[in-house]
Amino acid sequence: MSDDAPAPRPAPPRRHPLMADVETLVDMGVLEEQPQPPPDEPPPPPPEEAANALRLDEALAEAGVTKTTADAAAVTALAKLDPATIATLTEWVKHKKKDPSTK
């Protein structure tokens, strides 16, 4: 070191712990796992969508279709369509296939 440079000073000890977010403190084992608030429930569908979904559910039940999870998701998506389209869809679902053995 040159004669012009000041001598290094010792750093004072820290009096406050370092700040960290709660997740890091939990990961470090300093804090217990914090309770999480329940998730917000999605708002109910608008009345028109709920009515459309009900009409589709009734048509599927009348056609003897047992709804699966995929069917429920499809009904939810289709219920957003306009009522005229829903009426057409329900008629398609209710339409019975002809028995191929009878001619």
Side-chain angles (χ1 to χ4, degrees):
M1 284 184 21
S2 71
D3 293 333
D4 295 339
R9 297 184 297 159
R14 293 182 188 229
R15 293 196 175 128
H16 302 287
L18 294 176
M19 298 197 51
D21 62 298
V22 172
E23 186 176 328
T24 303
L25 295 173
V26 169
D27 290 343
M28 292 170 54
V30 175
L31 285 178
E32 295 292 320
E33 182 102 21
Q34 301 296 305
Q36 300 296 320
D40 292 335
E41 290 186 25
E48 184 177 277
E49 282 183 31
N52 288 344
L54 181 61
R55 289 177 68 191
L56 288 167
D57 285 339
E58 289 172 350
L60 288 171
E62 187 176 319
V65 175
T66 304
K67 272 183 26 176
T68 63
T69 305
D71 295 329
V75 166
T76 301
L78 290 171
K80 295 177 182 175
L81 298 172
D82 62 282
T85 304
I86 297 299
T88 302
L89 287 172
T90 56
E91 290 304 315
W92 287 352
V93 170
K94 292 177 188 177
H95 184 62
K96 301 207 186 277
K97 290 185 180 180
K98 292 183 181 176
D99 186 5
S101 63
T102 60
K103 292 186 179 186

